[in-house]
Amino acid sequence: MAAAVHVQPGSGARFDWGLTGAAELGRVCAVLVVVDVLSFTTAVDVAVGRGMRVHPFPWGEQAADYARRVGAVAAVGRRQVSPDHPWSLSPAALSTAPVVADLVLPSPNGSAISAAASATGLPVVAACLRNARAVGRWLTHQGYGATDAPIGVIASGERWPDGSLRPSVEDQLGAACVLDALSGVPGGLSVEAAMTLAALASTPDVPAAVRGSVSGRELIEGGFGEDVEVAVRVGVSGVVPVLRQGVFSAT
């Protein structure tokens, strides 16, 4: 177990990266906010906003089996979409796919982090650039953000081929937008959260930064630029997807 100082004690809003950071902050925080802008939490925002319930699941072939067990539809990879199966991790595809009651949405980062955090019983909120302000308002209204009910904001990041964490511009900025909405919480921001927020002040054009980031360029060059455009619509959503009992649904 990490030292107590690693959980950023004494602050109402805290920040860390990836699965390990979520596990550490999950030990002490009252709620976790997971940010995976390209594309899990953006996809959750879109799907939940259309009335779907989203089941997070780690990336892997077992997602289809799990979906059958819970009576849901399993999303597939972006390149596996077909007319008969239009549900995928693509927010653009989910914007037009038929609405289903329950959708299993696997991903290697945000979904895996959410699923692991859910197993602890902790409330988990899916945040992205689209709904960061709404998430911040909801958390404040729920009474989170005091030192005895701290908020843990987790930037999911990406992964290098060896499986190690690759911090990502889009998730840092998404987390910063959430922290901006939390800057007045009574417990204040930890140093780590405040430094993350500072990145927002030095980014005059957040959509342009996301488009020009490694992750953004990777999607655009791979033919999925529309997913990036859906993701960079800052503040357009009032949806607050909260994960309880293994399922994201609207508050």
Side-chain angles (χ1 to χ4, degrees), residues 48 50 55-56 75 83 89 109 116 136 138 147 151 179 200 213 223 238 247:
V48 169
R50 299 187 67 209
H55 302 244
L89 190 59
N109 301 306
W138 183 84
T147 54
I151 301 161
L179 291 165
L200 189 61
S213 70
V247 181

Side-chain angles (χ1 to χ4, degrees), residues 187-218:
L189 305 184
S190 69
V191 170
E192 288 75 13
M195 294 303 294
T196 300
L197 177 56
L200 189 61
S202 62
T203 308
D205 190 335
V206 169
V210 173
R211 292 185 191 104
S213 70
V214 169
S215 302
R217 291 168 60 189
E218 183 178 31

Side-chain angles (χ1 to χ4, degrees), residues 87-234:
W87 304 277
S88 78
L89 190 59
S90 161
L94 288 178
S95 297
T96 58
V99 172
V100 294
D102 288 86
L103 179 69
V104 174
L105 190 61
S107 89
N109 301 306
S111 192
I113 293 167
S114 299
S118 175
T120 70
L122 201 66
V124 179
V125 182
C128 57
L129 293 171
R130 297 166 56 91
N131 72 346
R133 296 171 193 163
V135 166
R137 287 194 300 268
W138 183 84
L139 290 166
T140 302
H141 291 160
Q142 294 297 308
Y144 296 116
T147 54
D148 60 350
I151 301 161
V153 179
I154 305 298
S156 297
E158 300 291 345
R159 292 186 182 273
W160 291 109
D162 66 359
S164 61
L165 174 71
R166 175 174 67 78
S168 60
V169 167
E170 70 278 5
D171 291 347
Q172 183 181 27
L173 290 173
C177 287
V178 175
L179 291 165
D180 186 43
L182 296 174
S183 56
V185 295
L189 305 184
S190 69
V191 170
E192 288 75 13
M195 294 303 294
T196 300
L197 177 56
L200 189 61
S202 62
T203 308
D205 190 335
V206 169
V210 173
R211 292 185 191 104
S213 70
V214 169
S215 302
R217 291 168 60 189
E218 183 178 31
L219 282 175
I220 292 167
E221 292 173 9
F224 297 101
E226 192 176 352
D227 284 343
V228 179
E229 293 309 307
V230 172
V232 299
R233 294 171 188 162
V234 179

